[in-house]
Amino acid sequence: MVNGLFDGERAVRPEVVFGLVPAGTGGDLARTLRAPRDTEAAFERVRSLAPTACDVLSLTCAGHDGAPVHRIGVNVTGFGVNG
């Protein structure tokens, strides 16, 4: 979800703010953050709230070909066998 905001473990552009607009059937992060399920309400919440720092997860594992794969995530970082 946030891999494009990082180059390795460093933020590419630290001034960029990540905003969550939930979609789909999952939504553990959306539930944790109490994000509205309604799209317009979620966009309004993103526009109106002040940015808050959060922890990010860094995972390095072996890919299908055995080569190292690095991923950055918030809330959950998986490798194909999640939940």
Side-chain angles (χ1 to χ4, degrees), residues 13-82:
R13 295 182 53 194
E15 72 277 11
V16 172
V17 176
F18 168 77
L20 178 70
V21 177
T25 58
D28 180 61
L29 179 59
R31 281 189 297 278
T32 299
L33 297 177
R34 294 187 178 97
R37 298 300 297 179
D38 175 74
T39 303
E40 287 301 317
F43 274 115
E44 183 53 39
R45 184 173 185 211
V46 168
R47 282 191 293 267
S48 65
L49 289 178
T52 303
C54 73
D55 293 333
V56 295
L57 306 165
S58 175
L59 171 72
T60 301
C61 61
H64 293 290
D65 60 359
V69 177
H70 184 247
R71 297 287 184 260
I72 301 287
V74 291
N75 191 50
V76 174
T77 298
F79 54 92
V81 293
N82 307 26

